Amino acid sequence: MYFETPSGSVYEPENPMLRSFYEALKKHAPTLAGSPVFEDFKEVYEALEFDMRGEKSNEPTITAV
């Protein structure tokens, strides 16, 4: 599942530890989507999901500095 925002889709997390973060984003998207604070939280969520996916597969995570 996913929900839409003006800047794109937000997909359910593969890692259950991020479920509450996803649900909070989904709940507040109708009123906050497009605002700078919502976009910052969305980026953090997506970065955590990406990092946790790498940990799950036991591969080193390479992040840009």
Side-chain angles (χ1 to χ4, degrees), residues 2-50:
Y2 65 93
F3 64 93
E4 293 291 333
T5 69
S7 61
S9 302
V10 178
Y11 295 93
E12 280 189 83
E14 290 181 17
N15 189 313
M17 291 174 57
L18 292 174
R19 171 63 61 191
S20 60
F21 198 161
Y22 171 81
E23 293 298 332
L25 286 173
K26 186 176 177 180
K27 176 181 176 182
H28 296 289
T31 54
L32 295 177
S35 71
V37 72
F38 184 85
E39 294 305 315
D40 286 348
F41 283 130
K42 182 176 164 259
E43 287 178 20
V44 169
Y45 166 77
E46 291 169 343
L48 286 170
E49 175 67 9
F50 179 80

